């Protein structure tokens, strides 16, 4: 693997990791939207209690938000192991 390909693979892995880190933040927008639509609006003093009361779309958005964090843990661990092992071959980059 030439240096240029090595650098591109490294960049692709880091970019994928940064995008994956943004997904939980983006998914929080849907949760916040559902919370704001509830009676009384967004409860800034006790948001977790309000999230427990969400139903329908809000409940699914909250679950999706939690799933994003769970998936991020394993995805970031896999990327960081590949970075630590200097394993930047094409199949790894494609799977990311």
């Amino acid at each position: 693997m030439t240096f240029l390909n090595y650098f591109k693979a490294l960049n692709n892995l880091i970019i994928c990791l940064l995008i994956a880190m943004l997904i939980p933040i983006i998914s929080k927008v849907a949760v916040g939207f559902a919370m704001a639509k509830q009676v009384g609006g967004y409860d800034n003093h006790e948001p977790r209690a309000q999230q427990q009361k969400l139903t329908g779309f809000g409940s699914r958005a909250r679950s999706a938000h939690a799933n994003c964090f769970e998936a991020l843990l394993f995805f970031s661990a896999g990327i960081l192991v590949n970075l630590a092992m200097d394993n930047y071959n094409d199949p790894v980059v494609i799977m990311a």
Side-chain angles (χ1 to χ4, degrees), residues 55-78:
T55 59
F57 169 75
S59 178
R60 291 191 305 275
R62 188 175 134 249
S63 297
H65 179 65
N67 288 342
C68 288
F69 279 109
E70 294 168 4
L72 179 62
L73 175 69
F74 294 107
F75 181 75
S76 61

Side-chain angles (χ1 to χ4, degrees), residues 13-32:
L13 289 176
I14 292 174
I15 288 170
C16 286
L17 183 60
L18 292 175
I19 290 171
M21 292 171 68
L22 290 175
I23 292 173
I25 297 168
I26 294 169
S27 68
K28 177 63 177 166
V29 172
V31 177

Side-chain angles (χ1 to χ4, degrees), residues 20-91:
M21 292 171 68
L22 290 175
I23 292 173
I25 297 168
I26 294 169
S27 68
K28 177 63 177 166
V29 172
V31 177
F33 179 73
M35 290 172 66
K37 287 184 79 173
Q38 279 189 323
V39 176
Y42 190 94
D43 184 6
N44 227 7
H45 296 289
E46 293 187 32
R48 290 177 194 241
Q50 185 183 18
Q51 287 177 4
Q52 293 293 327
K53 297 175 188 172
L54 291 173
T55 59
F57 169 75
S59 178
R60 291 191 305 275
R62 188 175 134 249
S63 297
H65 179 65
N67 288 342
C68 288
F69 279 109
E70 294 168 4
L72 179 62
L73 175 69
F74 294 107
F75 181 75
S76 61
I79 294 291
L80 294 176
V81 165
N82 277 300
L83 291 175
M85 293 177 60
D86 287 335
N87 187 14
Y88 309 124
N89 54 21
D90 290 335

